[in-house]
Amino acid sequence: MFREEIGKRLLVTVIWLTMLNFLRLAAGRWDWYWLLFWLGAGLGTFLMDLDAWLDRLVLNPQNGISQEIKKLVRAKKYQQAYNWLLDAQQRQIRLAFRSALFQLVLVIFCFWALTSTGSWLGKGLVMALYLQLGREVVELRLRNQDQFLRQRLFSIFKKTMPARAETFWVIGFVLAFLVLNLLLI
């Protein structure tokens, strides 16, 4: 599971970065600071696991899975600990980064980072986080895990959301990502 998930993430990130590079080259806008963007994107690719690590190790340390992950980390078996985390993360509904509210804030934050800051490392980090969250949302949708995706996105709201809300969210999230990428070209 570890290699498969890391492979998917890296493949999607490299394809996205390559496409952006070609578009920037065609527009005559490539510069050396773009390497900082790549570095930030590499970091952002793995940032999406931060909510699961915080949940397992800080917020719910008494959980059985959390205890097992801690044992593996103490034994310096990091790959096995990450496998446990990925397995738990794929079944867990309430994760901060996976909620619609966080994702809406992320869209706004990405727009701010792309238009108001000069940190190419930061731009790469937040856009890669956005990319990976989008990849996960689309992947769940394509695997027909609509109910799980809806719960994950809207579990912070008291009201049950209709299936249409999830569909609109996925489409809007992907379109917003594409629009934000236009600011990078």
Side-chain angles (χ1 to χ4, degrees), residues 45-89:
T45 298
F46 300 101
L47 185 64
M48 69 180 284
D49 293 326
L50 183 62
D51 63 349
W53 282 110
L54 287 174
D55 181 69
R56 291 292 170 203
L57 301 177
V58 176
L59 300 175
N60 294 311
Q62 70 283 4
N63 186 302
I65 294 171
S66 301
Q67 295 297 321
E68 188 63 35
I69 291 172
K70 283 181 181 180
K71 271 192 249 175
L72 291 168
V73 168
R74 273 185 290 230
K76 297 184 181 184
K77 296 181 179 181
Y78 302 116
Q79 187 172 347
Q80 287 176 323
Y82 197 67
N83 274 336
W84 273 81
L85 179 79
L86 287 174
D87 186 50
Q89 177 180 305

Side-chain angles (χ1 to χ4, degrees), residues 109-129:
F109 186 72
C110 284
F111 179 76
W112 173 80
L114 295 176
T115 59
S116 301
T117 183
S119 171
W120 285 93
L121 183 76
K123 290 176 185 185
L125 191 124
V126 295
M127 287 300 290
L129 173 62

Side-chain angles (χ1 to χ4, degrees), residues 47-51 95-100 102-103 129 133:
L47 185 64
M48 69 180 284
D49 293 326
L50 183 62
D51 63 349
L95 287 170
F97 290 0
R98 275 52 172 206
S99 74
F102 174 83
Q103 292 177 5
L129 173 62
L133 289 172

Side-chain angles (χ1 to χ4, degrees), residues 13-14 16-25 29-42 114 118-121 123-124 127 180-185:
T13 301
V14 167
W16 169 65
L17 288 171
T18 303
M19 287 174 45
L20 278 177
N21 268 348
F22 284 134
L23 291 171
R24 282 185 69 89
L25 280 170
R29 296 191 58 213
W30 197 91
D31 203 352
W32 289 105
Y33 59 76
W34 194 248
L35 295 176
L36 290 172
F37 185 83
W38 273 70
L39 179 63
L114 295 176
S119 171
W120 285 93
L121 183 76
K123 290 176 185 185
M127 287 300 290
L180 288 170
N181 276 286
L182 292 176
L183 296 173
L184 290 168
I185 299 172

Side-chain angles (χ1 to χ4, degrees), residues 67-175:
Q67 295 297 321
E68 188 63 35
I69 291 172
K70 283 181 181 180
K71 271 192 249 175
L72 291 168
V73 168
R74 273 185 290 230
K76 297 184 181 184
K77 296 181 179 181
Y78 302 116
Q79 187 172 347
Q80 287 176 323
Y82 197 67
N83 274 336
W84 273 81
L85 179 79
L86 287 174
D87 186 50
Q89 177 180 305
Q90 288 178 349
R91 288 177 279 140
Q92 192 168 355
I93 291 175
R94 291 188 75 123
L95 287 170
F97 290 0
R98 275 52 172 206
S99 74
L101 183 61
F102 174 83
Q103 292 177 5
L104 178 62
V105 170
L106 180 66
V107 171
I108 295 165
F109 186 72
C110 284
F111 179 76
W112 173 80
L114 295 176
T115 59
S116 301
T117 183
S119 171
W120 285 93
L121 183 76
K123 290 176 185 185
L125 191 124
V126 295
M127 287 300 290
L129 173 62
Y130 193 142
L131 173 71
Q132 294 305 322
L133 289 172
R135 179 197 57 84
E136 188 176 88
V137 165
V138 169
E139 189 176 300
L140 287 171
R141 180 74 183 185
L142 292 175
R143 282 195 268 146
N144 293 322
Q145 293 182 336
D146 298 339
Q147 180 66 26
F148 178 72
L149 177 59
R150 197 170 320 123
Q151 287 176 329
R152 203 174 234 194
L153 287 171
F154 305 116
S155 67
I156 60 171
F157 303 111
K158 302 283 186 230
K159 204 169 123 178
T160 304
M161 297 299 214
R164 283 193 347 234
E166 169 213 334
T167 302
F168 287 131
W169 182 262
V170 171
I171 292 169
F173 198 65
V174 170
L175 287 176

